[in-house]
Amino acid sequence: MIIRVICTICFFAVNICYVRYSSDILKADDMNEINQTFVSEFLLLGLSGYPKTEIIYFAVILVMYLVILIGNSVLIIASIFDSHLHTPMYFFLGNLSFLDICYTSSSVPSTLVSLISKKRNISFSGCTVQMFFGFAMGSTECLLLGMMAFDRYVAICNPLRYPIIINKVVYVLMASMSWLSGGINSVVQTSLAMRLPFCGNNIINHFTCEILAVLKLACADISLNIVTMVISNMAFLVLPLLVIFFSYVFILYTILRMNSATGRRKAFSTCSAHLTVVIIFYGTIFFMYAKPKSQDLNGKHKFQTSDKLISLFYGVVTPMLNPIIYSLRNKDVKAAVKYLLHQKSVH
């Protein structure tokens, strides 16, 4: 697992260097030949090369988006109105559900519009807002997953001191710091990216204004962007992953020392949903950046298409699976949802 952490750093560094290589094509001598008309909007390619499949993707993404809105909203409502769920774990889960709604709502509606109406242009300000929310939600989710792992570590390894260590002030502060840190990180990254001049090419080979895809269009030095993104990846990807890894090492050690088989099963069940979400979340990121880049033009085009589809999986499928995983693998959530549905049917 530690090797994977090291690989993560390498993958992101290589990917960012790839962006730098794309930008370095525009040398100082070439800059004079570029028409210095700065773009006021961008064109999102999406799946424009596959017009017959766009309607299929529209239907699939629309269904997934509705599941995301309904599933995560149900979890939020259950965690608020059911007193049995007024615990740190479900507080973090409610934050994660709200985050998934915000994250998908910042990009999915525009993706659906582009698929059905062929309207692929997005204004400069619209691209900025989309990039900000995408980066902020992604950064915050990494931190929240790390906080949730630490919460499970304290609950299982120090159960007697759990109410003291993770009291209401502490877990509200943990969640608030996650949101604040993610927001600040996004402000920095988005402002540094969108201050760059984008002269000439304004075609983004992606579904959304993804920051790496946008940086490839810049006709200026992006060294500062590279440095800040490396620092950001270390702080918001690697450090939370280390917290998750060591938390589960201690959790596993504690569980294996339990004498009661019932106690072991209960401890495993409280962690299984979170661990499944972590594997899906980080597994998708690993897969996105671990794949080798093809040098062949046809192969490169296929790789770019697969990258966009994997990004779509990361942006839509993962938020859709989160409420399903937590509701199916958690008796408390299922009981709360059934209770709320029963109350609604009575009234």
Side-chain angles (χ1 to χ4, degrees), residues 19-30:
V19 176
R20 185 177 186 180
Y21 171 77
S22 301
S23 180
D24 284 344
I25 296 176
L26 299 171
K27 298 294 184 181
D29 294 336
D30 299 326

PDB file of all heavy atoms in Angstrom, residues 19-30:
ATOM      1  N   VAL A  19       1.410  17.767 -19.035  1.00  0.00           N
ATOM      2  CA  VAL A  19       0.748  19.041 -19.312  1.00  0.00           C
ATOM      3  C   VAL A  19       1.786  20.102 -19.631  1.00  0.00           C
ATOM      4  O   VAL A  19       1.624  20.897 -20.545  1.00  0.00           O
ATOM      5  CB  VAL A  19      -0.108  19.485 -18.094  1.00  0.00           C
ATOM      6  CG1 VAL A  19      -0.705  20.850 -18.345  1.00  0.00           C
ATOM      7  CG2 VAL A  19      -1.200  18.473 -17.829  1.00  0.00           C
ATOM      8  N   ARG A  20       2.887  20.087 -18.856  1.00  0.00           N
ATOM      9  CA  ARG A  20       3.927  21.088 -19.085  1.00  0.00           C
ATOM     10  C   ARG A  20       4.557  20.902 -20.466  1.00  0.00           C
ATOM     11  O   ARG A  20       4.838  21.859 -21.183  1.00  0.00           O
ATOM     12  CB  ARG A  20       5.002  20.977 -18.010  1.00  0.00           C
ATOM     13  CG  ARG A  20       6.055  22.080 -18.131  1.00  0.00           C
ATOM     14  CD  ARG A  20       7.086  22.001 -17.025  1.00  0.00           C
ATOM     15  NE  ARG A  20       7.975  23.145 -17.088  1.00  0.00           N
ATOM     16  CZ  ARG A  20       8.966  23.345 -16.254  1.00  0.00           C
ATOM     17  NH1 ARG A  20       9.192  22.487 -15.275  1.00  0.00           N
ATOM     18  NH2 ARG A  20       9.738  24.413 -16.366  1.00  0.00           N
ATOM     19  N   TYR A  21       4.744  19.639 -20.837  1.00  0.00           N
ATOM     20  CA  TYR A  21       5.310  19.360 -22.150  1.00  0.00           C
ATOM     21  C   TYR A  21       4.412  19.900 -23.249  1.00  0.00           C
ATOM     22  O   TYR A  21       4.880  20.473 -24.234  1.00  0.00           O
ATOM     23  CB  TYR A  21       5.477  17.853 -22.324  1.00  0.00           C
ATOM     24  CG  TYR A  21       5.859  17.445 -23.724  1.00  0.00           C
ATOM     25  CD1 TYR A  21       7.163  17.606 -24.194  1.00  0.00           C
ATOM     26  CD2 TYR A  21       4.901  16.908 -24.602  1.00  0.00           C
ATOM     27  CE1 TYR A  21       7.495  17.239 -25.481  1.00  0.00           C
ATOM     28  CE2 TYR A  21       5.237  16.545 -25.891  1.00  0.00           C
ATOM     29  CZ  TYR A  21       6.543  16.702 -26.330  1.00  0.00           C
ATOM     30  OH  TYR A  21       6.890  16.347 -27.595  1.00  0.00           O
ATOM     31  N   SER A  22       3.092  19.732 -23.070  1.00  0.00           N
ATOM     32  CA  SER A  22       2.148  20.240 -24.070  1.00  0.00           C
ATOM     33  C   SER A  22       2.221  21.747 -24.164  1.00  0.00           C
ATOM     34  O   SER A  22       2.065  22.327 -25.230  1.00  0.00           O
ATOM     35  CB  SER A  22       0.722  19.806 -23.712  1.00  0.00           C
ATOM     36  OG  SER A  22       0.644  18.409 -23.659  1.00  0.00           O
ATOM     37  N   SER A  23       2.436  22.390 -23.010  1.00  0.00           N
ATOM     38  CA  SER A  23       2.480  23.856 -23.002  1.00  0.00           C
ATOM     39  C   SER A  23       3.801  24.388 -23.537  1.00  0.00           C
ATOM     40  O   SER A  23       3.854  25.454 -24.133  1.00  0.00           O
ATOM     41  CB  SER A  23       2.254  24.357 -21.583  1.00  0.00           C
ATOM     42  OG  SER A  23       2.285  25.748 -21.551  1.00  0.00           O
ATOM     43  N   ASP A  24       4.888  23.606 -23.325  1.00  0.00           N
ATOM     44  CA  ASP A  24       6.206  24.066 -23.720  1.00  0.00           C
ATOM     45  C   ASP A  24       6.367  24.127 -25.238  1.00  0.00           C
ATOM     46  O   ASP A  24       7.355  24.667 -25.736  1.00  0.00           O
ATOM     47  CB  ASP A  24       7.295  23.160 -23.134  1.00  0.00           C
ATOM     48  CG  ASP A  24       7.513  23.438 -21.668  1.00  0.00           C
ATOM     49  OD1 ASP A  24       7.062  24.492 -21.197  1.00  0.00           O
ATOM     50  OD2 ASP A  24       8.141  22.598 -20.999  1.00  0.00           O
ATOM     51  N   ILE A  25       5.412  23.543 -25.968  1.00  0.00           N
ATOM     52  CA  ILE A  25       5.459  23.627 -27.416  1.00  0.00           C
ATOM     53  C   ILE A  25       5.405  25.090 -27.860  1.00  0.00           C
ATOM     54  O   ILE A  25       5.974  25.487 -28.869  1.00  0.00           O
ATOM     55  CB  ILE A  25       4.284  22.836 -28.035  1.00  0.00           C
ATOM     56  CG1 ILE A  25       4.458  21.352 -27.698  1.00  0.00           C
ATOM     57  CG2 ILE A  25       4.209  23.034 -29.535  1.00  0.00           C
ATOM     58  CD1 ILE A  25       3.307  20.493 -28.165  1.00  0.00           C
ATOM     59  N   LEU A  26       4.692  25.895 -27.070  1.00  0.00           N
ATOM     60  CA  LEU A  26       4.572  27.329 -27.380  1.00  0.00           C
ATOM     61  C   LEU A  26       5.770  28.084 -26.803  1.00  0.00           C
ATOM     62  O   LEU A  26       5.718  28.593 -25.706  1.00  0.00           O
ATOM     63  CB  LEU A  26       3.268  27.884 -26.799  1.00  0.00           C
ATOM     64  CG  LEU A  26       2.003  27.227 -27.355  1.00  0.00           C
ATOM     65  CD1 LEU A  26       0.795  27.695 -26.548  1.00  0.00           C
ATOM     66  CD2 LEU A  26       1.847  27.574 -28.812  1.00  0.00           C
ATOM     67  N   LYS A  27       6.856  28.069 -27.508  1.00  0.00           N
ATOM     68  CA  LYS A  27       8.060  28.757 -27.063  1.00  0.00           C
ATOM     69  C   LYS A  27       7.941  30.250 -27.344  1.00  0.00           C
ATOM     70  O   LYS A  27       7.028  30.718 -28.021  1.00  0.00           O
ATOM     71  CB  LYS A  27       9.285  28.199 -27.802  1.00  0.00           C
ATOM     72  CG  LYS A  27       9.534  26.719 -27.521  1.00  0.00           C
ATOM     73  CD  LYS A  27       9.924  26.486 -26.082  1.00  0.00           C
ATOM     74  CE  LYS A  27      10.267  25.026 -25.843  1.00  0.00           C
ATOM     75  NZ  LYS A  27      10.616  24.764 -24.455  1.00  0.00           N
ATOM     76  N   ALA A  28       8.924  30.962 -26.865  1.00  0.00           N
ATOM     77  CA  ALA A  28       8.899  32.425 -27.015  1.00  0.00           C
ATOM     78  C   ALA A  28       8.888  32.833 -28.485  1.00  0.00           C
ATOM     79  O   ALA A  28       8.238  33.799 -28.875  1.00  0.00           O
ATOM     80  CB  ALA A  28      10.106  33.033 -26.305  1.00  0.00           C
ATOM     81  N   ASP A  29       9.641  32.074 -29.333  1.00  0.00           N
ATOM     82  CA  ASP A  29       9.676  32.418 -30.743  1.00  0.00           C
ATOM     83  C   ASP A  29       8.341  32.202 -31.421  1.00  0.00           C
ATOM     84  O   ASP A  29       8.002  32.890 -32.386  1.00  0.00           O
ATOM     85  CB  ASP A  29      10.741  31.572 -31.456  1.00  0.00           C
ATOM     86  CG  ASP A  29      12.138  31.922 -30.964  1.00  0.00           C
ATOM     87  OD1 ASP A  29      12.313  33.049 -30.460  1.00  0.00           O
ATOM     88  OD2 ASP A  29      13.031  31.062 -31.090  1.00  0.00           O
ATOM     89  N   ASP A  30       7.589  31.204 -30.930  1.00  0.00           N
ATOM     90  CA  ASP A  30       6.299  30.896 -31.540  1.00  0.00           C
ATOM     91  C   ASP A  30       5.211  31.847 -31.069  1.00  0.00           C
ATOM     92  O   ASP A  30       4.176  31.967 -31.719  1.00  0.00           O
ATOM     93  CB  ASP A  30       5.880  29.452 -31.195  1.00  0.00           C
ATOM     94  CG  ASP A  30       6.885  28.440 -31.721  1.00  0.00           C
ATOM     95  OD1 ASP A  30       7.454  28.693 -32.790  1.00  0.00           O
ATOM     96  OD2 ASP A  30       7.089  27.404 -31.046  1.00  0.00           O
TER      97      ASP A  30
END
